Amino acid sequence: MPRIARRTFLAGLGGAALTACTSSSGGSQPPTTPDGFEASGSPSPTPLPPVTVNAANGPVLVPGEPQRVVVLDTDVLDSALTLGVTPVGAALPAADTRFPDYWPASRTAGIRLVGPAGAPDLDAVRALRPDLILSNQARDGDRYEQLRGIAPTVLTQTTGAPWKANFQLHAQALGRVAAAGAFAAAYQKHAGQVVQALSAAKLSGHRVSLVRFVEGGGIRLFGRQSFPGIVLTDAAVGRPDAQNVDQSDFEVPPDQIAKADGDLLLYATYGDPAKAGTDAALASPGWQALGAVKAHRAFPVDDQLWFQGIGYTAANFMLDELQRFLGA
C-alpha cells in the first residue's frame, strides 16, 4: 500500500487548524501546514511572560515562548512538530536510526539526536542549551532532577492511551493552546468523515487486528487502551475478541498466533525483522492459517507511524491508511 499523499492530510485537518496555528505565538519554527510544509507566521515580537504548567511532575514554570525545545520521546516529537515547533534535539527509541518519514525531511533535518529514548545523553542535551524539555515519567521520571537542572522539564505521567490529553499539556508548555484545540477539533471531524465513509461502504463491522513484532519483546497484540487502539475506536471499527479489551497490549507466544486474526490484520516490526521474530512468524503454518492472511487482508504498516507516532499528525495519516486498507 503506497504512502498516503500528504496533501490528503489537508482535508483531515482543515483550515481552522491552519488559522489557529498561524496565529499562535511561541515555538522555535514557523507553524506548518497540514501537508507538512511551513506556513506563514512568526513568534510574537514581544516576548510572552513565563507560564506555570501543571505537569505530572508538579507545577513547572516554563518560558511563555520557548525557542529551544528538546523532546525525549516519540509522542512529544509528534506534538511539537504538529504545533509548528521544530525541536533542537530529540531522543528516539534505541532501534530507530532515522526520524519518522511521515514527516518531510525538511521538518526533521535540523534536529539533533540526543541518544535513545529512556537513556538520553544528558551532556548532549545540555550542549543544545534548551529552554524547555518534554518527556514522560515512564521514560525519564528517574532522571527528572538532572533534567530540570538543565532546563524546565514538563513530564506527562505516561504515553500511549492518554495521547489526546498529553497533547494539550504539551501545547500549554509550548504556548500553542489555540492551535492544539483546532488540531483536535479537525481530527475529530476527520474521524467522523472516515466513520461515514466506512458506514456507507458497509465496512464498519469489520474487525481490525493490530500486531507488533518487537525485537526483544516478542509478539504483541494491542487492545483498546493504546494509541492505535484509540484511533481505531475513533474510526468506529470493530476489534477481534482477543483484542477487544481495556488494556494497551499483551504478549502472546507463537503457538497462540490465532489471536491475531481479524477481518483486516495490520502488523509492524520494531527492530530487525529476524530478531523480532517477524520473519519466522510470517513463514509459520499458524500465520498462514489466519483468515486475514488467506484472504490477502494482512498488511505491513510503518511502526514509527502506527505504534510510535502517538499524536495528531500520525493519527490523521492512520485514519487515511485505515480507510484505504478497508477499501472504503
Side-chain angles (χ1 to χ4, degrees), residues 207-213 219-221 240 242-243 252-267 277-278 280-299:
R207 299 170 304 151
V208 180
S209 173
L210 295 170
V211 183
R212 191 185 192 206
F213 298 96
I219 304 170
R220 296 183 186 174
L221 307 184
Q243 301 172 36
V252 296
D255 62 1
Q256 294 184 23
I257 197 67
K259 293 180 179 179
D261 207 359
D263 299 307
L264 173 69
L265 193 163
L266 305 178
Y267 65 93
T278 311
L282 268 59
S284 70
W287 182 269
Q288 295 299 320
L290 295 177
V293 174
K294 291 192 291 187
H296 305 289
R297 302 290 292 168
F299 301 102

Side-chain angles (χ1 to χ4, degrees), residues 260-324:
D261 207 359
D263 299 307
L264 173 69
L265 193 163
L266 305 178
Y267 65 93
T269 300
Y270 171 72
D272 179 83
K275 295 179 180 178
T278 311
D279 295 343
L282 268 59
S284 70
W287 182 269
Q288 295 299 320
L290 295 177
V293 174
K294 291 192 291 187
H296 305 289
R297 302 290 292 168
F299 301 102
V301 293
D302 181 0
D303 188 73
Q304 288 184 298
L305 175 66
W306 278 80
F307 294 95
Q308 297 181 42
I310 316 179
Y312 277 102
T313 293
N316 273 284
F317 281 123
M318 290 161 63
L319 286 174
D320 281 342
E321 288 196 353
L322 177 66
Q323 185 174 343
R324 292 189 62 183

Side-chain angles (χ1 to χ4, degrees), residues 177-195:
V177 175
F183 274 109
Y187 166 79
Q188 290 303 130
K189 180 180 179 180
H190 186 192
Q193 293 168 340
V194 173
V195 170

Side-chain angles (χ1 to χ4, degrees), residues 29-102:
Q29 293 290 334
T32 58
T33 62
D35 53 356
F37 297 97
E38 289 183 357
S40 60
S42 59
S44 168
T46 303
L48 298 176
V51 298
T52 298
V53 175
N54 291 316
N57 49 297
V60 181
L61 187 67
V62 303
E65 199 170 43
Q67 299 295 307
R68 300 184 62 80
V69 180
V70 169
V71 296
L72 298 180
D73 209 343
T74 57
D75 62 325
V76 279
L77 177 64
D78 188 284
S79 290
L81 290 172
T82 295
L83 292 167
V85 177
T86 300
V88 294
L92 293 178
D96 291 339
T97 58
R98 57 173 175 77
F99 288 105
D101 66 6
Y102 68 88

Side-chain angles (χ1 to χ4, degrees), residues 9 14 66 87 128 147 180 190 208 211 226 231 244 282 292:
F9 198 14
L128 291 173
L147 291 170
H190 186 192
V208 180
V211 183
S226 64
V231 174
N244 194 29
L282 268 59

